Amino acid sequence: MKDRAAFDQMFKEWYTPLVYSAYYLINDIEACKDIVSDAFEYLWRNYDKIEKSTAKSYVQSIVRTRSIDYLRKMTVHEEYIEFVSHLTDPTTENGYLQADERVLRLKKAMQKLTPYNAHILEACYVDNKKYKEVAEELNVSVAAIHKNIVKALRILRKELGEKGNRNEP
């Protein structure tokens, strides 16, 4: 049986320090608040399965892991923006004609994606939705969204003959 009073006390004591702990890693206070709130939601859903003596370290671990996941997502997001910006920047190489050609190449490469991959890529990078939001909409895990983004970017890089900074398998 869940002890609501004990959980509320944990929340009151740990919330602010956990937000600051996450902020140390990611420097985005709103994202930190979301991460910590999600960690407490997860703790509440699994409260009966968790030893109360280790709950604090458990929630700290969740916050740290989700903060690192957030950083990974932002890195992938920034790489994609840089990748697309490079493809569509009219000031590089031969100007606007090159930019038009790059846009056409990008659109052609996007056709190589499955509708599912294209939808996820668009939702995350055009609509600027969080992986979690897209995962909830599609009723899949956040990990599945991440895998689909990585897969889509790999296909785009291959089709466009561009390689990212990371080594792709």
Side-chain angles (χ1 to χ4, degrees):
M1 183 168 164
K2 294 182 182 181
D3 182 357
R4 178 69 182 207
F7 181 83
D8 287 346
Q9 185 61 34
M10 288 179 204
F11 184 85
K12 287 176 187 173
E13 287 179 25
W14 303 343
Y15 181 81
T16 301
L18 286 169
V19 169
Y20 285 116
S21 174
Y23 188 76
Y24 178 77
L25 291 171
I26 61 177
N27 295 324
D28 180 342
I29 196 70
E30 292 304 317
C32 294
K33 289 177 182 178
D34 288 345
I35 288 168
V36 173
S37 295
D38 289 348
F40 273 105
E41 177 187 343
Y42 186 83
L43 178 64
W44 179 250
R45 283 195 318 257
N46 296 287
Y47 195 69
D48 294 334
K49 302 173 196 166
I50 298 168
E51 289 290 323
K52 306 316 171 246
S53 61
T54 61
K56 186 173 186 176
S57 61
Y58 185 74
V59 126
Q60 287 171 329
S61 177
I62 293 170
V63 169
R64 179 169 170 70
T65 301
R66 291 189 180 180
S67 295
I68 291 169
D69 288 346
Y70 175 85
L71 288 174
R72 284 186 190 130
K73 177 192 178 232
M74 293 311 297
T75 300
V76 170
H77 181 75
E78 289 167 8
E79 285 178 3
Y80 179 74
I81 289 172
E82 181 182 328
F83 177 72
V84 172
S85 295
H86 173 72
L87 289 176
T88 59
D89 184 2
T91 62
T92 60
E93 296 173 20
N94 293 327
Y96 290 100
L97 293 176
Q98 286 286 335
D100 289 342
E101 181 181 317
R102 287 188 195 115
V103 169
L104 290 174
R105 287 179 54 212
L106 179 60
K107 287 181 180 179
K108 184 177 178 181
M110 291 284 290
Q111 292 174 353
K112 299 284 184 170
L113 301 177
T114 65
Y116 185 71
N117 283 128
H119 172 75
I120 291 172
L121 195 67
E122 183 177 317
C124 291
Y125 296 111
V126 176
D127 301 336
N128 208 22
K129 292 182 179 180
K130 293 181 179 184
Y131 284 13
K132 182 178 178 184
E133 291 175 280
V134 178
E136 288 172 358
E137 287 174 10
L138 298 175
N139 199 26
V140 297
S141 70
V142 173
I145 297 300
H146 178 73
K147 287 177 186 175
N148 277 279
I149 291 290
V150 169
K151 180 181 177 183
L153 292 177
R154 186 177 298 133
I155 291 168
L156 290 178
R157 284 186 188 117
K158 179 182 174 190
E159 289 299 315
L160 295 167
E162 306 267 346
K163 293 290 178 200
N165 294 334
R166 298 184 309 191
N167 293 331
E168 296 289 338

